[in-house]
Amino acid sequence: MGPGAGCQGITQRSPDLILNQEREMDMQKNRCYGCMELTEEAVCPKCGWKKGQNNESHQLPVGTVLRDKYLIGRVLGQGGFGITYMAWDMDMDVPVCIKEFYPNTAVNRDNTRTTAVTCNTSGMEEGFRLSRERFLREAQSLEKFRDIPQIVSMYDYFQMNNTAYFTMEYVRGIDMAKLVR
């Protein structure tokens, strides 16, 4: 047998790759899931998020990584058809928003067991699939407006966890509900 025989598919990990993976692990460990700033404090001095705090059980857990790229943080909002998360793009090193297609009357998830969503009944599966396709078409439409400064830029869209997502520019600002009060 020659060198490497029987080892097809096994590759050496380069020192650069190992350092990048270690850097990403450190970044995740020290990233505040409330505002995505780096901190080693138990309570973030910028936003007040407490380490160990988590999202609700039907939402993605904080610290979840989507597509080996997006680190999920706190929930920014939730409506009848979706959940919007604070997130960190680990490739671009910037905060982003991720909108998850989650029609709360049709699907559910127990994040202590899985990040995938399931339909509440088999009779809802076709409607869910069609609605998910519309959600992805909305993402494609939004992508066309990327260069208009008055509209939040849409960066990426994809399917995962039996649902769909799109990532958008994160714009820091004042919560409109708090402003109206």
Side-chain angles (χ1 to χ4, degrees):
M1 252 195 235
C7 295
Q8 280 95 356
I10 298 175
T11 57
Q12 288 285 97
R13 290 180 4 159
S14 75
D16 288 341
L17 177 62
I18 293 169
L19 286 175
N20 284 339
Q21 288 173 336
E22 288 173 359
R23 183 185 67 82
E24 283 182 16
M25 294 289 283
D26 284 343
M27 183 172 57
Q28 286 175 294
K29 187 171 48 178
N30 294 321
R31 182 97 24 216
C32 169
Y33 295 128
C35 64
M36 292 297 169
E37 296 292 327
L38 288 174
T39 183
E40 294 185 18
E41 302 296 322
V43 177
C44 178
K46 185 166 183 170
C47 73
W49 182 269
K50 296 178 184 122
K51 277 192 179 176
Q53 199 172 330
N54 208 341
N55 291 329
E56 295 179 23
S57 63
H58 67 283
Q59 301 162 342
L60 289 172
V62 297
T64 299
V65 177
L66 300 177
R67 291 187 95 188
D68 294 325
K69 179 177 181 170
Y70 303 111
L71 177 65
I72 296 295
R74 72 179 173 94
V75 169
L76 296 172
Q78 180 171 346
F81 288 97
I83 304 171
T84 304
Y85 301 93
M86 178 82 193
W88 188 259
D89 183 326
M90 296 186 297
D91 289 348
M92 300 300 292
D93 215 22
V94 295
V96 294
C97 287
I98 296 187
K99 186 167 185 177
E100 176 182 42
F101 179 62
Y102 190 94
N104 58 14
T105 58
V107 298
N108 63 74
R109 163 177 45 225
D110 176 1
N111 75 14
T112 62
R113 295 182 310 160
T114 183
T115 54
V117 301
T118 56
C119 284
N120 293 333
T121 66
S122 60
M124 295 180 161
E125 289 174 0
E126 181 63 15
F128 174 73
R129 185 186 63 74
L130 293 170
S131 295
R132 184 179 57 209
E133 287 173 12
R134 279 194 300 272
F135 179 87
L136 290 169
R137 281 196 305 272
E138 176 188 345
Q140 288 173 320
S141 295
L142 287 172
E143 192 174 41
K144 296 173 187 169
F145 300 111
R146 180 180 290 188
D147 296 325
I148 299 174
Q150 293 84 0
I151 299 176
V152 172
S153 293
M154 210 282 301
Y155 297 136
D156 191 12
Y157 55 93
F158 54 96
Q159 291 187 67
M160 190 174 182
N161 296 326
N162 195 34
T163 191
Y165 301 89
F166 60 82
T167 65
M168 305 170 286
E169 171 185 15
Y170 176 70
V171 179
R172 295 189 194 276
I174 299 170
D175 184 321
M176 189 64 139
K178 289 179 185 174
L179 188 64
V180 172
R181 286 186 216 153

